[in-house]
């Protein structure tokens, strides 16, 4: 199965500066997020002394709004212009994160307050990511979507490489709550850059609009499509596994293995470096193997990565296996994400893209929230060793679902003809 570069509501020519500003906004936001990836676990695990269950709740909090708002956000993203959604969602996330250090400095921050702020942050993120993933096809031709997504992923991976090390240093120097201000400011810059993009976004005015019907249309395309359906289910299972995985990882590294904020940041930086390498070759591998097979090969690498993490816990082998595992995880993510997003954007009409992206991302984040809660509960009940074995098994199930989809195994996105 292949996807030609035909008109599915694709945009006409737009200034190159539009994609450049979009790319810059994504890059700056990614660096801020990478800093928070270190600062937030340190704040929760060390400064607020959260229990394993509370760690799971905090990790789940920013994902819960996807379950509540995801379908609605997708429908309205297809109704509204996407650039203003990007701007206001970034401003909302900046305010939500910025409140955390303010509460800490005043001595008022507690776990429940952090959960509330992350719920608010996640609510803005639902709309922001629905618009982000649907806005890109307005800036580049659909046949170039894998390449464009790979560039964004390369930048994100570079941020994940430098950001955690920077985040670890900032946490050590200023403290975890103050380090979160970096991410808050990055969202404000993101809003300014996206607000300056020049792009035509005509919206069709339909007096017969019906929210429930529009939601059903998006769900039907996402899950009845012969390629997107199995891929979406596989991805949901992957997010459930990942939610468990990174909940237990923070507890394993920061408590059982005694990582400092800086060494934990270096661990995440290894994953970011590998993701950068994977994203660099993502489009080339997608062209060589086919878009679908490239996704399948990458997805099969995750059980191997988390087998090494489990071995670290079982054998008390020290941090070496952990660094190797996160490198494999990052490499697979770098290859997979650009091809998956490019495939989804290429086969979905523009009029449905907001709903399809939001529906799939909503289910993904709901699965991640459930995984985080399950991970925290499992560590408390059976310990990190057996929880990591379960993580490896669930990642393997996600890979198996993808392997067993013939349309996905045959999917290719045709390159430009010129």
């Amino acid at each position: 199965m292949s996807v030609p570069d035909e008109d599915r509501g694709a945009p006409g020519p737009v200034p190159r500066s539009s994609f450049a500003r979009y790319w810059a906004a994504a890059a700056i936001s990614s660096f801020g997020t990478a800093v928070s990836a270190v600062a937030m676990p340190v704040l929760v695990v060390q400064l607020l002394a959260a229990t394993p269950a509370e760690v799971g709740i905090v990790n789940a909090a920013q994902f819960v709004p996807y379950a509540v708002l995801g379908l609605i956000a997708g429908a309205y993203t297809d109704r509204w212009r996407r650039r203003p959604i990007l701007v206001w969602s970034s401003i909302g996330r900046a305010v939500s994160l910025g409140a955390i250090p303010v509460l800490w400095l005043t001595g008022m921050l507690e776990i429940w307050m952090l959960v509330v702020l992350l719920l608010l942050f996640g609510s803005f993120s639902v709309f922001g990511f629905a618009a982000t993933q649907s806005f890109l096809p307005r800036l580049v031709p659909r046949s170039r979507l894998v390449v464009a997504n790979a560039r964004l992923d390369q930048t994100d991976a570079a941020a994940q490489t430098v950001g955690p090390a920077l985040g670890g240093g900032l946490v050590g120097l200023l403290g975890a709550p103050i380090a979160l201000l970096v991410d808050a400011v990055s969202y404000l810059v993101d809003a300014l850059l996206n607000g300056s993009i020049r792009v035509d976004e005509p919206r069709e005015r339909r007096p017969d609009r019906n929210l429930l019907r529009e939601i059903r249309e998006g769900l039907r395309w996402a899950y009845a499509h012969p390629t997107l359906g199995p891929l979406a289910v596989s991805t949901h299972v992957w997010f459930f596994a990942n939610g468990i995985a990174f909940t237990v990882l923070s507890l394993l590294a920061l408590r059982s293995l005694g990582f400092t904020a800086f060494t934990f940041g270096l661990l995440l930086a290894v994953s970011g470096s590998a993701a950068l390498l994977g994203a660099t070759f993502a489009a080339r591998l997608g062209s060589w193997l086919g878009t679908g097979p490239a996704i399948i090969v990458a997805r099969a690498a995750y059980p191997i990565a988390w087998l090494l993490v489990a071995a670290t816990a079982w054998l008390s082998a020290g941090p070496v296996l952990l660094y190797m595992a996160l490198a494999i995880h990052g490499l697979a993510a770098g290859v997979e994400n650009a091809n998956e997003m490019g495939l989804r954007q290429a086969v979905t009409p523009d009029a449905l893209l907001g709903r399809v992206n939001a529906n799939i991302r909503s289910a993904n984040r709901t699965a991640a929230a459930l995984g985080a809660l399950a991970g925290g509960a499992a560590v408390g009940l059976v310990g990190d060793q057996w929880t990591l074995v379960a993580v490896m098994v669930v990642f393997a199930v996600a890979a198996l679902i993808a392997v067993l989809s013939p349309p996905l195994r045959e999917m290719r996105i045709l390159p430009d003809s010129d």
Side-chain angles (χ1 to χ4, degrees), residues 66-370:
Y66 287 89
V68 179
L69 299 174
L71 299 180
I72 297 172
Y76 279 103
T77 299
D78 283 336
R79 289 186 182 187
W80 299 337
R81 289 180 173 83
R82 291 158 188 169
R83 185 181 62 177
I85 300 176
L86 289 176
V87 172
W88 287 107
S89 64
S90 291
I91 292 173
R93 283 178 283 190
V95 173
S96 303
L97 280 179
I100 295 173
V102 172
L103 289 171
W104 173 261
L105 290 173
T106 57
M108 298 173 59
L109 185 63
E110 298 180 15
I111 288 289
W112 72 267
M113 293 180 181
L114 185 60
V115 169
V116 170
L117 288 171
L118 289 177
L119 287 170
L120 185 61
F121 176 89
S123 298
F124 286 109
S125 296
V126 174
F127 285 88
F129 281 114
T132 295
Q133 294 175 337
S134 308
F135 190 53
L136 182 59
R138 280 278 160 194
L139 304 179
V140 298
R142 289 187 178 244
S143 58
R144 299 287 295 171
L145 283 169
V146 171
V147 174
N149 278 291
R151 288 179 180 174
L152 292 168
D153 285 348
Q154 285 174 320
T155 306
D156 185 62
Q160 291 176 34
T161 302
V162 178
L166 175 63
L170 287 173
V171 169
L173 182 64
L174 303 174
I178 304 303
L180 291 172
L181 275 178
V182 174
D183 198 9
V185 172
S186 77
Y187 279 114
L188 291 177
V189 178
D190 175 297
L192 288 172
L193 286 170
N194 279 320
S196 68
I197 290 175
R198 294 168 53 200
V199 64
D200 181 30
E201 285 196 278
R203 294 285 92 190
E204 180 185 357
R205 298 187 179 276
R206 290 169 48 188
D208 60 336
R209 284 194 183 278
N210 181 283
L211 183 61
L212 291 178
R213 185 183 67 241
E214 291 172 20
I215 289 173
R216 286 195 300 268
E217 289 172 352
L219 289 170
R220 190 179 304 116
W221 188 272
Y223 294 103
H225 192 281
T227 305
L228 289 186
L231 178 58
V233 173
S234 171
T235 304
H236 301 338
V237 176
W238 183 95
F239 269 90
F240 180 73
N242 207 56
I244 304 173
F246 278 87
T247 296
V248 67
L249 178 68
S250 63
L251 291 165
L252 174 67
L254 291 169
R255 284 193 179 161
S256 300
L257 298 179
F259 278 35
T260 65
F262 182 70
T263 53
F264 185 66
L266 288 180
L267 178 64
L268 299 182
V270 166
S271 178
S273 299
L276 175 59
L277 181 63
T280 300
F281 293 100
R284 192 173 304 173
L285 284 171
S287 177
W288 176 44
L289 297 175
T291 311
I295 295 169
I296 291 171
V297 168
R299 195 147 288 183
Y302 293 106
I304 299 171
W306 290 90
L307 173 62
L308 293 178
V309 179
T312 301
W314 278 96
L315 303 176
S316 300
V320 175
L321 287 180
L322 204 58
Y323 281 95
M324 291 175 57
L326 268 290
I328 295 172
H329 183 100
L331 184 65
V335 170
E336 173 189 32
N337 191 63
N339 282 287
E340 182 176 355
M341 284 306 308
L343 188 157
R344 190 191 307 167
Q345 292 164 342
V347 303
T348 305
D350 186 75
L352 285 167
L353 197 51
R355 280 166 283 176
V356 169
N357 280 327
N359 293 347
I360 293 176
R361 192 176 185 91
S362 173
N364 287 344
R365 292 317 194 248
T366 302
L370 293 174

